[in-house]
Amino acid sequence: MVFLFSRIKGMLYLLFLPCFCSAPPPLRFSVFLDPSNMAYLRWDHDEQEMMSFELQVCTTGWVAFGFSPHGDLPGSDIVTGGVFPNGSIYFCDYHVVDEEDDSQDYQLLSVTENETSTTMLFKRHLWTCDPNDLDITVDTARLVTAFGPDDTVQFFKGQRFSKSLFLMRYRLPGGPSGDSSVSFLFQFAVPVEETKYACTFIPLPMVKQKHHIYKFEPVITPHNISLVHHILVYACGNASVLPTGVDDCYGANPDFALCSQVLVGWAVGGESYQFPDEAAISIGTPWDPQYIRLEIHYSNFDLLPGLINSSGVRLYYTPELRKYDVGVLQTGIFAFPVHFIPPGMSGMLVPDLHVFACLLHTHLPGRGVKAPQYRNGKQLGIICEDSKYNFRLQEIRDMKEILVIKPGDEILVECNFQTLDRSGITFGGPSTMNEMCLAFLFYYPHNNISSCMGYPDILYIGGMVNGKDNENEMFAVEAVMAIDFVDWDNETVKIAETAAKEAEQVVMIKTINELQRNETGLIRDISIPEQAACHNISGHLSVSGPRATANLRLTAAGTSGSSTAKETASLPLLSLTQLVFAWLILASEYGK
Ligand SMILES: *[C@@H]1O[C@H](CO)[C@@H](O)[C@H](O)[C@H]1NC(C)=O
Ligand SMILES: *[C@@H]1O[C@H](CO)[C@@H](O)[C@H](O)[C@H]1NC(C)=O
Ligand SMILES: *[C@@H]1O[C@H](CO)[C@@H](O)[C@H](O)[C@H]1NC(C)=O
Ligand SMILES: *[C@@H]1O[C@H](CO)[C@@H](O)[C@H](O)[C@H]1NC(C)=O
Ligand SMILES: *[C@@H]1O[C@H](CO)[C@@H](O)[C@H](O)[C@H]1NC(C)=O
Ligand SMILES: *[C@@H]1O[C@H](CO)[C@@H](O)[C@H](O)[C@H]1NC(C)=O
Ligand SMILES: *[C@@H]1O[C@H](CO)[C@@H](O)[C@H](O)[C@H]1NC(C)=O
Ligand SMILES: CC(=O)N[C@H]1CO[C@H](CO)[C@@H](O)[C@@H]1O
Ligand SMILES: CC(=O)N[C@H]1CO[C@H](CO)[C@@H](O)[C@@H]1O
């Protein structure tokens, strides 16, 4: 028998609850939320558009978890919970700033505690109907975690962490990996600089016959895990003469920026990546890349001197061939359309692209990337998007289902940038201070086209922002200078945006070996697909009408030893109503 007491608008509810005890499904995805591995999150989502979470924190005090608009506490949508020393539990849905938020969207499944940790299990709908709430979408989520040593919740005094994470995953990374592997590591004296991009060129394994690379794993020196920000592996074609040694990727020697076709990527918070069972990257044939460029972004924010480290990647490869070879199509630069037309070099037809994953890439000012697909002038859907893009989280993301791109389809890549912190204009280019706008599409079967990159007619834009229509008399260099001298304000930004969209676009189609063909194109409008229906559970899960129960395992306070002295009681899916910071206090007969 369970009693539920809740103080809601000063009223007291007393309930008897039935028990539909069922084992919770395993949560497939997991990550540590803080650098010292105190807080561990497991999560998963189901077809009913519910996302379940299990938060495990090394504390016997309160724990909190939530979604934040920008990564900090104000404005975030948080649940807190814990177990009092007497075994009673508390749980609360809380909106940090907006005191009028009366919508309750988290449902508690259980809170348990042992000698060292508190574990809270809860779930919520992806789309809630509350405008104050932060929906769970394909965008990068900003998560906040906090916890304290005792059961007095004090957000601003506890330990607090924020983390960007991509939650909408469909497939577990990893799987068995028993075959040959090769590690590409380099010893690198990390300079006393906040940001350093180090690059080196490394040969792929010299296998005598065709092999498949099917998995990629970051290798990072454990002591300095926060030092490595991201790792990217690019494939090199046969057309470039590659430099030796390690150098700045985007520094004085432009050769260190050669090879731009991303093969795999990892960023802080990421994990290993394994290709789907039916496709992998081919090596060992004459048409395959023989070298890679390894790019490691170090962030020495504490400016520690004398850090020498060897980090890098491990690639797993096997002679047991998958059905298809993976290709990577790089599309992007500015907002531009790509006519997916194969270069007529061999006169061969290119088969449909089966896209299974994508990776978005901009530099620091990037705030959002969107890549819609068009067929016969009509938008089919969005291949890949993140409207809360975080530069520090560049990872390969699996698609929900395989998407087919047919020859003749168009792909547009649109990026949103925010440059409020910059006074001068930001031009496109490879350095971190320049900008990029790219979407890498991972597909099979492999074809020889490696990139479709576009840019607008700079003469036209130069003419428009200077209020001249004599663009024919301008040279490209003058046009760029003209753009550099514009007094940028809302109006000129608008003119430039419009001009860039109206301008004729040059689309360069290249193979990995730098064979090239140019096309022209135009930019189509992007329509925003309708949002999925939201779920307003606020009214349905009031305390007087609990609809379901879940297992609650309470560890009675004072239980000694490491035995699993747990008792089972039932608990409704709790979801608070009405109060901004209301508490549910639940006492079970085991709670004494
Ligand atoms: C357990 O302790 C909490 C906090 O001290 C208190 O609010 C609650 O009433 C107690 N529960 C029981 C069953 O004694
Ligand atoms: C306490 O719970 C955590 C999380 O479930 C677990 O990792 C740990 O081993 C447990 N400790 C003891 C002493 O049972
Ligand atoms: C690179 O490979 C292509 C075949 O894919 C070949 O046609 C070309 O001649 C090669 N270029 C060089 C410089 O070896
Ligand atoms: C890619 O090029 C190689 C040789 O240049 C050719 O043998 C192969 O069939 C081409 N692949 C495709 C998909 O066109
Ligand atoms: C420019 O537009 C932004 C919002 O779009 C607005 O906040 C800002 O005040 C505007 N600046 C000027 C100078 O009009
Ligand atoms: C395509 O355009 C680029 C950039 O304008 C130019 O460098 C290149 O020569 C052109 N290639 C062809 C085949 O026209
Ligand atoms: C959600 O449902 C509750 C109770 O039925 C209602 O008060 C509230 O206005 C609804 N919210 C929205 C955004 O529809
Ligand atoms: C950020 C970080 O963990 N830095 C550590 C890297 O390694 C050196 C030496 O082992 C430590 O002193 C730093 O604290
Ligand atoms: C200074 C530092 O952290 N050095 C570490 C680099 O990585 C190796 C292992 O790869 C460690 O043994 C060093 O301590």
Side-chain angles (χ1 to χ4, degrees):
M1 191 171 64
V2 173
F3 301 96
L4 175 74
F5 300 99
S6 88
R7 274 195 301 119
I8 288 174
K9 290 199 165 160
M11 292 162 77
L12 188 73
Y13 293 83
L14 178 63
L15 292 175
F16 294 89
L17 300 162
C19 173
F20 308 114
C21 309
S22 61
L27 306 178
R28 286 175 297 169
F29 311 108
S30 62
V31 72
F32 281 106
L33 296 168
D34 65 315
S36 19
N37 296 357
M38 302 270 285
Y40 187 63
L41 180 74
R42 301 204 300 135
W43 80 96
D44 209 340
H45 53 95
D46 59 21
E47 293 301 316
Q48 281 74 52
E49 298 182 339
M50 292 293 286
M51 195 166 270
S52 303
F53 299 91
E54 184 191 86
L55 177 69
Q56 246 174 45
V57 186
C58 290
T59 180
T60 52
W62 60 274
V63 302
F65 171 86
F67 290 79
S68 155
H70 305 292
D72 38 13
L73 219 37
S76 53
D77 197 12
I78 281 190
V79 273
T80 58
V83 183
F84 285 122
N86 63 13
S88 298
I89 71 166
Y90 52 97
F91 177 70
C92 173
D93 185 342
Y94 181 57
H95 200 269
V96 176
V97 166
D98 191 336
E99 307 216 341
E100 296 308 311
D101 183 21
D102 59 357
S103 181
Q104 303 304 320
D105 302 303
Y106 292 96
Q107 302 172 28
L108 179 68
L109 300 177
S110 73
V111 189
T112 57
E113 182 179 292
N114 66 13
E115 291 76 26
T116 53
S117 336
T118 299
T119 302
M120 183 162 75
L121 240 135
F122 53 95
K123 59 183 187 175
R124 54 163 280 185
H125 280 282
L126 304 183
W127 304 88
T128 66
C129 302
D130 181 358
N132 289 320
D133 263 342
L134 298 159
D135 289 320
I136 303 176
T137 63
V138 294
D139 297 337
T140 299
R142 265 63 169 178
L143 305 179
V144 287
T145 319
F147 53 92
D150 53 33
D151 292 303
T152 313
V153 179
Q154 287 176 297
F155 277 131
F156 294 92
K157 286 195 180 159
Q159 301 209 50
R160 276 185 287 137
F161 302 97
S162 67
K163 186 179 190 76
S164 288
L165 195 62
F166 180 61
L167 287 171
M168 287 303 290
R169 301 188 187 182
Y170 303 103
R171 215 162 50 81
L172 265 182
S177 43
D179 303 284
S180 316
S181 71
V182 57
S183 296
F184 299 132
L185 306 177
F186 60 79
Q187 296 283 339
F188 185 67
V190 183
V192 186
E193 287 172 39
E194 283 200 355
T195 296
K196 184 77 181 178
Y197 283 76
C199 271
T200 194
F201 295 87
I202 305 176
L204 281 161
M206 295 296 245
V207 283
K208 290 210 173 66
Q209 70 190 79
K210 182 180 171 90
H211 281 62
H212 266 151
I213 295 177
Y214 62 93
K215 183 177 175 178
F216 156 88
E217 194 173 83
V219 181
I220 295 166
T221 305
H223 293 299
N224 277 269
I225 199 112
S226 62
L227 205 59
V228 176
H229 238 291
H230 75 243
I231 301 178
L232 284 168
V233 176
Y234 302 86
C236 298
N238 64 0
S240 314
V241 179
L242 304 174
T244 54
V246 179
D247 204 347
D248 222 327
C249 306
Y250 308 110
N253 185 351
D255 283 354
F256 277 86
L258 286 172
C259 314
S260 56
Q261 178 162 29
V262 167
L263 278 190
V264 276
W266 173 91
V268 180
E271 289 151 81
S272 60
Y273 183 78
Q274 183 160 338
F275 289 103
D277 291 343
E278 65 270 31
I281 293 172
S282 171
I283 52 170
T285 82
W287 307 283
D288 294 327
Q290 294 182 352
Y291 274 80
I292 57 152
R293 172 160 63 96
L294 178 59
E295 169 182 312
I296 303 188
H297 172 187
Y298 295 94
S299 296
N300 190 358
F301 286 122
D302 297 332
L303 300 177
L304 298 172
L307 299 179
I308 297 182
N309 236 288
S310 59
S311 294
V313 297
R314 185 172 296 127
L315 300 177
Y316 291 86
Y317 60 101
T318 174
E320 278 171 40
L321 300 183
R322 289 2 187 193
K323 190 167 177 198
Y324 299 108
D325 290 345
V326 166
V328 186
L329 178 69
Q330 172 178 333
T331 64
I333 289 198
F334 295 106
F336 80 106
V338 168
H339 285 270
F340 183 71
I341 298 169
M345 287 165 290
S346 58
M348 252 195 299
L349 271 180
V350 170
D352 292 355
L353 269 59
H354 293 77
V355 181
F356 59 86
C358 67
L359 182 145
L360 302 172
H361 178 80
T362 79
H363 287 165
L364 289 161
R367 292 294 179 275
V369 186
K370 189 175 274 164
Q373 174 190 12
Y374 302 84
R375 184 169 300 158
N376 302 323
K378 279 216 185 95
Q379 185 177 325
L380 294 185
I382 309 251
I383 304 171
C384 206
E385 70 177 311
D386 187 343
S387 59
K388 293 189 183 158
Y389 177 82
N390 183 345
F391 171 72
R392 306 187 192 289
L393 198 70
Q394 297 182 39
E395 268 192 299
I396 300 175
R397 298 176 179 187
D398 286 313
M399 327 265 296
K400 188 172 184 185
E401 44 220 10
I402 287 177
L403 185 143
V404 176
I405 298 178
K406 292 183 174 297
D409 284 1
E410 298 165 12
I411 303 161
L412 182 83
V413 183
E414 184 195 67
C415 292
N416 284 316
F417 296 107
Q418 201 224 67
T419 49
L420 292 176
D421 55 343
R422 296 186 180 184
S423 50
I425 191 163
T426 301
F427 281 109
S431 112
T432 1
M433 289 312 286
N434 289 339
E435 220 7 279
M436 282 191 169
C437 171
L438 301 177
F440 294 92
L441 307 182
F442 291 76
Y443 68 89
Y444 62 78
H446 177 269
N447 69 54
N448 288 341
I449 300 165
S450 68
S451 75
C452 285
M453 307 286 286
Y455 61 90
D457 179 357
I458 193 77
L459 299 182
Y460 177 78
I461 301 175
M464 292 307 280
V465 292
N466 287 289
K468 293 180 198 150
D469 53 9
N470 62 340
E471 72 260 30
N472 290 337
E473 291 160 30
M474 244 193 242
F475 292 106
V477 175
E478 287 173 40
V480 170
M481 282 173 65
I483 288 171
D484 208 5
F485 285 122
V486 170
D487 269 337
W488 291 106
D489 56 28
N490 283 356
E491 202 188 328
T492 40
V493 165
K494 188 103 203 103
I495 292 171
E497 270 177 5
T498 308
K501 185 166 183 270
E502 289 169 353
E504 189 172 77
Q505 310 284 317
V506 175
V507 182
M508 298 179 295
I509 303 168
K510 266 193 204 171
T511 70
I512 190 168
N513 296 324
E514 308 289 333
L515 293 172
Q516 187 173 333
R517 187 173 121 179
N518 293 348
E519 301 275 337
T520 57
L522 65 141
I523 293 185
R524 298 188 189 279
D525 292 326
I526 301 180
S527 55
I528 307 299
E530 249 177 60
Q531 194 178 299
C534 66
H535 296 266
N536 182 1
I537 59 166
S538 191
H540 301 294
L541 281 162
S542 67
V543 261
S544 56
R547 294 193 305 171
T549 62
N551 263 2
L552 167 67
R553 284 170 301 158
L554 284 181
T555 303
T559 306
S560 59
S562 58
S563 69
T564 52
K566 287 174 182 166
E567 304 281 357
T568 302
S570 63
L571 175 74
L573 298 178
L574 297 181
S575 184
L576 296 201
T577 61
Q578 316 313 329
L579 290 186
V580 174
F581 197 87
W583 290 95
L584 271 192
I585 298 169
L586 181 128
S588 80
E589 55 189 342
Y590 306 107
K592 162 70 226 345

